[in-house]
Structures are given as C-alpha cells and as structure tokens.
Amino acid sequence: GENVEQHPSTLSVQEGDSAVIKCTYSDSASNYFPWYKQELGKGPQLIIDIRSNVGEKKDQRIAVTLNKTAKHFSLHITETQPEDSAVYFCAAGDNDMRFGAGTRLTVKP
Amino acid sequence: DTGVSQNPRHKITKRGQNVTFRCDPISEHNRLYWYRQTLGQGPEFLTYFQNEAQLEKSRLLSDRFSAERPKGSFSTLEIQRTEQGDSAMYLCASSRDGRGRQYFGPGTRLTVT
C-alpha cells in the first residue's frame, strides 16, 4: 500500500518569509496529491491539489510542485501571514488516501 | 452547500459501551469516507461508500466497527464494546465522485474512559 512521509514535522518562519513542506510517496500508481490545512479543533481543509499529469500548480500565495519520477511533491507558501499558522498535511492516492504525519507551521509576526 | 456535518462533535463514553456517530455529506456527493485521526498524526483511512455500497475497508476497521449508508445519503459509524485505544477524532469526508476532491467535516472527538 501507499506510504507517505512528510518533512519537516515543525516549521517556524517570520511573517513575510516563505515556507516549504516536502512529502514523498511510495506507490508509483498514485496520481492525486492534495494538501490540507488543519486548525485546532477543526477538520482538515483542502487548500490545493495536483494530479499527476501536471508538474506545478499555483493559487495566489500557495503553490504545489510534483516530481513523479522521484515520487515527491512539495507545498510552497509565499509571503506568509500569522493566519497561515496551522498543521499542514499532504496526502496521496484517490479513494483510500494516505496522509503524511503533518507539519506544524508557526508564522511569527 | 452547507458542507459536511458530523454529530455529535464530542462523545465521552465508558469502556465497553457502544457509540454511534453520524455524518451528513455535501448534497449530491456520491462518495463518503471515514477516517480516524489520533493526536499528532494524519488522518487514517477506515472505509468509503459509493452511494449505499461500502467499497473498501481498511484493516484498521476491526470487527467492532461497522459503517452504513443505507440510502446513499447520511452515514453512521458504530463502535461496539469501546476500548481506550478507540479514543480519537473520527472524520468524515465526501466527494462528488471517485476522482473528486474530498471535503472533510469537523469531526467527532471520542474519549473512552
């Protein structure tokens, strides 16, 4: 089955800096890679996703890149703001999605 | 579109009791998923439905767990003879179809004492 590893587990940046979170996956058949943001006491919120036929996708301050050959994908947040502070999860797969262990991002004002 | 809703939001029960959670998906979403999330971890897949049919179950779903989606709309997850290890957040998600984005509800936090 699919196995997803996520790094780093914690990340602290100054407001305005960029943040990068990286994930690797094991199943070469996986073709869908979403990213979720989870705030305390809430369910995960989908923030961006990418399919395997695309190498990069951008939505305002958030971008995701995918390298299928190396089986890794990354989340990039630019111009970080304090409200970006949360736990971020990557995932891979379709119906039985496998999630990474999460990255706790702290943006210091 | 009111999003995925889950009830109750919190449940405290004693070991050995049965509990049932409910999930109402986004209307017209054919697929419904259940996940479990323990502290400091990502969600773990439990099972999913295509309309009323349960198509896949994780090995995490022991015999004490059962899920239903009788009319292809809301779903229930029941845990029988709860154990302390069942304490977790139980998340529900729905998607329009098999290639669709999964949208999560707020979760039901279960505490087994």
Side-chain angles (χ1 to χ4, degrees), chain A residues 4-9 21-24 35 88-90 100-103:
Chain A
V4 177
E5 295 193 357
Q6 182 172 346
H7 300 279
S9 57
I21 303 170
K22 298 181 179 182
C23 288
T24 60
W35 286 88
Y88 291 80
F89 292 99
C90 62
T103 296

Side-chain angles (χ1 to χ4, degrees), chain B residues 4-5 16 21 23 28 45 51-52 71 75 79 82 96 110:
Chain B
V4 178
S5 62
F21 310 139
C23 171
E28 299 182 356
F45 169 79
N51 297 315
E52 66 274 11
K71 298 183 180 179
S75 175
I79 309 175
T82 52
R96 188 174 300 278
L110 173 66

Side-chain angles (χ1 to χ4, degrees), chain A residues 95, chain B residues 31-35 47-48 91-95 97 102:
Chain A
N95 296 307
Chain B
R31 296 216 169 182
L32 186 148
Y33 310 80
W34 285 100
Y35 292 83
T47 188
Y48 84 91
L91 293 162
C92 174
S94 71
S95 68
D97 53 41
Q102 293 187 25

Side-chain angles (χ1 to χ4, degrees), chain B residues 38-72:
Chain B
T38 53
L39 202 61
Q41 299 297 317
E44 297 173 293
F45 169 79
L46 293 178
T47 188
Y48 84 91
F49 293 83
Q50 166 76 29
N51 297 315
E52 66 274 11
Q54 188 173 15
L55 296 187
E56 188 169 345
K57 292 192 285 187
S58 162
R59 58 180 172 77
L60 294 174
L61 213 65
S62 75
D63 291 346
R64 297 183 297 105
F65 288 69
S66 63
E68 293 183 343
R69 195 183 182 198
K71 298 183 180 179

Side-chain angles (χ1 to χ4, degrees), chain A residues 53-64:
Chain A
N53 57 344
V54 176
E56 185 174 356
K57 184 177 179 180
K58 188 174 181 180
D59 182 4
Q60 298 182 346
R61 297 186 298 109
I62 296 174
V64 57

